[in-house]
Amino acid sequence: TFISFSRSPKSEGETNEKRMTTSAFLLRALTKKKQFVASNAPRSISIITNLSRYISTLILAEHESGSIKPQTVSTVVAANSLGESSSISLLLAGSGSSLQEAASQAASCHPSVSEVLVADSDKFEYPLAEPWAKLVDFVRQQGDYSHILASSSSFGKNILPRVAALLDVSPITDVVKILGSNQFIRPIYAGNALCTVRYTGGGPCILTIRTTSFPVTPITSDSESKKAAISQIDLSNFKEDSASRSRYVGQSTQDTERPDLGSARVVITGGRALKSVENFKMIEKLAEKLGGAVGATRAAVDAGYVPNDLQVGQTGKIVAPELYMAFGVSGAIQHLAGIKDSKVIVAVNKDADAPIFQVADYGLVGDLFEVIPELMEKLPEKK
Amino acid sequence: MKILVAVKRVVDYAVKIRVKPDKTGVDTQNVKMSMNPFCEIALEEALRIKEAGFAKEVIAVSIGPSQCLDTLRTGLAMGADRGIHVQTNSNFLPLTIAKILKSLAHVEKPGLIFLGKQAIDDDCNQTGQMVAALLDWPQATFASKVVLDKDKNVATVDREVDGGLETLSVDLPAVITTDLRLNQPRYATLPNIMKAKSKPIRKMTVEDLKVDVQSDIEIVGVTEPPKRKSGVIVSSVDELIDKLKNEAHVV
């Protein structure tokens, strides 16, 4: 059955919906009509949207083996700060039973999620930008969203700019702070400057969210019972066009028991000074002892000590753990870009002039080959 | 086949930037500028494809002020056959750049467009994806390996994704954006720098290309990030563990 995108109040307990006044509904109905009549009237639409302060967000969700990724929940947290009266829809695409499983988990992943939209088709078996961007556009045409969000993962960065170009709007990458429904802060120049931007366009505002800036607070148990409605999207009118011109071939993923680098509480990073793959295992052991994730500098990845997905920095992962420990890391601008928001930074380096010491809370000038074994011996076991 | 490579002139990656006191942006006066590192990698890959006999011509494009000519000359010295300079003094958003590149693609009809995955100044990571969308071409972003099959007219691309590597196959024409590990860009030799001076650079304007340059993003202000409070140098592992336990409470 075709899903209804009308935003009438649904079940009890949906506080966001309740808060919305009747006038807001009327205004919304007006704007919706207006878009059908004259889609080239962005100015009037934005004025009305501002009046009603109605924020309707579509989040392109990331999921894996039947559950929502933590980055997506952080994106929901970000969406919550866009404005007071808002509705949040999660869009899940994929195929088969793991998608349906993920959808049911998504429905209760955060109390402010108002609905879960599911696009189940072989076309979405793999996250290829061409069909997925078309899908987001397809869903948007029926839902009239003021904002479209995804996390700033390789997934979000691949797809959302493509969506934005289809809609002829400028997307905003790596939002670290939301100041209002159309004003945002994002880092530029490897995080050495913060840029405040205002979106002035008429179409939906398209953002990718730096998830480390929007931590998920633990949800209380009574809210767990609240489940958002799940709707299956009717794809019979969905056209592919260019979609079949790209094909998924395969993937090589690193199996790891350790916590995810992007969301770990502790991150232990090694640089070129580790000198070999074998030596890098010391970093891994220390990470295990502290229950942390392993990161690396570009030099360590290029030297082949660890795979590329462990690179931390401007072009790798951005981390913001409680404890970040760098061993044999000099502290190039590009690496610091990825660690600056860590709560406590510890640096161990032989070179007392290494730039890493300028950002470290605790620095130890010494040989990491002596320091790491001593730390292993003296550090308390993880709780 | 022609390959179009977009190259951007940015503040050199090693420069420590300064935010202007009036908070309107970052000071780029009297600062060393270079070709964006990811663009160098994109150009290098295009040159390698040409050298392997898969392409006839590599065209470097840069959009910006007259100093972009230096960036284009660098590209020509690396081995690009000719350059296109779209002259403007505005700082265009990636969407506008993408529209300009789309127009150029209609003129030049390349089989591949290479771009860096992001510029190290605005850190947007958008332009390649947007060009692909505007042209309705497939995209392969964050490429760390590109293998062309001339007979099938297909590119097989390894992409650096969050969990590891992903392999895609895209029909040409396509847009590919390059990651750091795709290749090691060559240095321009002195003879090649001299030769580059006689290679053609075509000058164009956005009006020539009939591109709508309207901006939908307004820069409200640029500020310095909050400074971290200065740390301490400890003298031993014991002192470090003590600080982490009793001062920072993180272990």
Side-chain angles (χ1 to χ4, degrees):
Chain A
T1 56
F2 194 79
I3 55 153
S4 150
F5 281 90
S6 69
R7 308 221 175 269
S8 53
K10 282 167 210 132
S11 58
E12 295 81 11
E14 290 199 28
T15 43
N16 283 335
E17 300 276 12
K18 263 189 184 170
R19 248 190 262 138
M20 219 167 53
T21 59
T22 327
S23 62
F25 267 111
L26 279 170
L27 280 165
R28 183 150 179 77
L30 272 171
T31 53
K32 242 183 150 170
K33 272 224 180 87
K34 204 154 199 149
Q35 246 192 1
F36 282 117
V37 182
S39 59
N40 276 335
R43 187 166 290 258
S44 54
I45 286 173
S46 70
I47 288 167
I48 293 175
T49 312
N50 285 344
L51 269 175
S52 69
R53 297 173 72 201
Y54 192 90
I55 314 286
S56 173
T57 308
L58 179 68
I59 295 176
L60 180 56
E62 247 178 294
H63 58 97
E64 193 177 49
S65 30
S67 53
I68 286 285
K69 286 200 178 178
Q71 297 98 296
T72 297
V73 186
S74 287
T75 309
V76 173
V77 173
N80 247 328
S81 53
L82 284 166
E84 256 177 52
S85 51
S86 64
S87 80
I88 297 172
S89 308
L90 283 187
L91 169 62
L92 273 75
S95 67
S97 60
S98 78
L99 170 69
Q100 301 301 336
E101 240 175 82
S104 117
Q105 194 236 332
S108 52
C109 75
H110 194 280
S112 56
V113 174
S114 17
E115 66 177 338
V116 175
L117 307 171
V118 182
D120 191 340
S121 163
D122 292 345
K123 291 170 193 141
F124 310 122
E125 190 177 354
Y126 305 107
L128 296 166
E130 297 78 20
W132 284 58
K134 288 243 159 81
L135 172 69
V136 176
D137 187 24
F138 179 76
V139 173
R140 175 205 63 93
Q141 283 169 29
Q142 298 161 69
D144 191 20
Y145 298 95
S146 61
H147 293 72
I148 301 174
L149 271 59
S151 62
S152 266
S153 57
S154 59
F155 167 87
K157 283 182 173 169
N158 187 38
I159 298 169
L160 276 206
R162 191 170 177 114
V163 174
L166 294 178
L167 304 184
D168 196 24
V169 305
S170 287
I172 302 169
T173 302
D174 255 347
V175 169
V176 294
K177 196 164 186 187
I178 293 172
L179 303 172
S181 64
N182 58 6
Q183 198 151 315
F184 315 96
I185 299 183
R186 61 178 301 268
I188 53 173
Y189 288 90
N192 288 303
L194 293 174
C195 186
T196 304
V197 294
R198 184 183 295 131
Y199 176 69
T200 57
C205 184
I206 299 188
L207 314 171
T208 66
I209 299 296
R210 181 173 287 191
T211 50
T212 52
S213 302
F214 298 91
V216 180
T217 44
I219 297 154
T220 50
S221 56
D222 57 307
S223 59
E224 247 173 61
S225 54
K226 219 187 79 188
K227 275 200 150 211
I230 300 175
S231 335
Q232 308 290 323
I233 298 173
D234 176 8
L235 295 165
S236 52
N237 290 319
F238 179 72
K239 290 193 189 64
E240 271 189 285
D241 306 331
S242 63
S244 52
R245 283 188 271 137
S246 72
R247 292 156 301 273
Y248 176 89
V249 178
Q251 187 153 24
S252 65
T253 38
Q254 318 291 336
D255 301 329
T256 173
E257 303 276 290
R258 285 186 292 269
D260 174 60
L261 183 53
S263 52
R265 201 187 67 82
V266 175
V267 174
I268 316 288
T269 286
R272 201 203 315 259
L274 266 299
K275 291 197 183 96
S276 72
V277 180
E278 286 311 302
N279 291 339
F280 212 93
K281 296 221 157 53
M282 296 184 355
I283 296 284
E284 290 166 19
K285 287 217 180 78
L286 186 60
E288 254 157 56
K289 176 146 191 179
L290 289 165
V294 171
T297 64
R298 182 188 171 190
V301 176
D302 283 352
Y305 304 160
V306 282
N308 61 286
D309 54 318
L310 297 188
Q311 185 177 329
V312 173
Q314 183 182 18
T315 68
K317 302 246 164 64
I318 309 290
V319 299
E322 282 178 41
L323 172 61
Y324 176 87
M325 298 179 90
F327 293 91
V329 171
S330 64
I333 295 171
Q334 291 76 17
H335 183 71
L336 298 185
I339 66 161
K340 272 181 184 158
D341 294 327
S342 306
K343 287 222 178 65
V344 176
I345 297 178
V346 173
V348 176
N349 204 304
K350 263 204 287 205
D351 175 9
D353 295 324
I356 187 88
F357 286 122
Q358 288 162 24
V359 299
D361 300 283
Y362 304 109
L364 178 56
V365 180
D367 186 347
L368 63 91
F369 293 104
E370 287 161 20
V371 174
I372 296 179
E374 201 180 337
L375 276 169
M376 283 296 287
E377 193 192 307
K378 291 178 176 170
L379 271 173
E381 285 296 330
K382 63 169 174 172
K383 287 153 226 164
Chain B
M1 178 176 78
K2 284 187 206 173
I3 303 180
L4 202 65
V5 185
V7 295
K8 184 176 184 182
R9 176 178 177 266
V10 297
V11 172
D12 188 84
Y13 72 93
V15 169
K16 196 171 174 352
I17 56 111
R18 273 196 331 234
V19 172
K20 286 185 196 165
D22 65 0
K23 296 191 164 78
T24 54
V26 166
D27 199 354
T28 54
Q29 296 291 314
N30 305 317
V31 169
K32 188 186 174 197
M33 306 291 279
S34 309
M35 189 190 289
N36 179 42
F38 290 97
C39 302
E40 279 186 3
I41 294 167
L43 182 54
E44 173 67 32
E45 195 64 17
L47 295 172
R48 288 184 190 191
I49 290 172
K50 187 191 156 193
E51 284 157 2
F54 291 124
K56 279 210 189 82
E57 193 182 28
V58 174
I59 309 157
V61 182
S62 197
I63 302 158
S66 48
Q67 294 95 320
C68 287
L69 283 171
D70 299 340
T71 313
L72 282 174
R73 288 280 171 219
T74 308
L76 296 175
M78 280 173 72
D81 297 287
R82 58 186 170 94
I84 298 174
H85 177 216
V86 182
Q87 163 89 38
T88 170
N89 289 317
S90 317
N91 256 331
F92 288 140
L93 294 167
L95 180 59
T96 309
I97 301 289
K99 286 176 181 172
I100 293 171
L101 292 172
K102 177 198 174 182
S103 289
L104 286 173
H106 283 153
V107 177
E108 297 286 351
K109 308 219 169 359
L112 261 175
I113 300 180
F114 268 106
L115 302 92
K117 79 162 178 182
Q118 75 191 65
I120 59 165
D121 54 358
D122 62 22
D123 282 333
C124 276
N125 196 332
Q126 300 169 353
T127 312
Q129 294 88 314
M130 297 179 103
V131 183
L134 296 175
L135 288 166
D136 197 21
W137 288 5
Q139 71 189 48
T141 51
F142 326 143
S144 64
K145 190 179 171 197
V146 176
V147 178
L148 285 189
D149 185 327
K150 212 178 176 182
D151 301 327
K152 289 188 188 144
N153 215 26
V154 158
T156 304
V157 180
D158 285 358
R159 305 180 54 231
E160 296 206 356
V161 294
D162 286 343
L165 286 176
E166 179 188 89
T167 309
L168 292 186
S169 133
V170 291
D171 293 348
L172 303 187
V175 175
I176 299 177
T177 75
T178 57
D179 216 317
L180 278 177
R181 267 167 286 278
L182 181 58
N183 59 46
Q184 191 65 51
R186 68 195 67 185
Y187 289 105
T189 59
L190 189 60
N192 284 343
I193 293 171
M194 299 311 286
K195 255 189 255 169
K197 291 192 174 159
S198 56
K199 287 184 179 174
I201 294 181
R202 184 174 173 194
K203 287 185 186 175
M204 300 182 98
T205 62
V206 277
E207 289 78 33
D208 296 338
L209 295 162
K210 297 189 178 59
V211 172
D212 167 25
V213 296
Q214 245 186 345
S215 162
D216 54 1
I217 302 251
E218 181 194 324
I219 300 211
V220 179
V222 174
T223 54
E224 288 201 24
K227 288 231 165 25
R228 291 186 75 95
K229 67 172 176 56
S230 57
V232 292
I233 296 288
V234 296
S235 56
S236 67
V237 170
D238 290 315
E239 193 186 342
L240 177 62
I241 292 177
D242 175 65
K243 295 270 191 196
L244 291 178
K245 254 193 213 165
N246 303 318
E247 197 174 277
H249 307 288
V250 283
V251 293

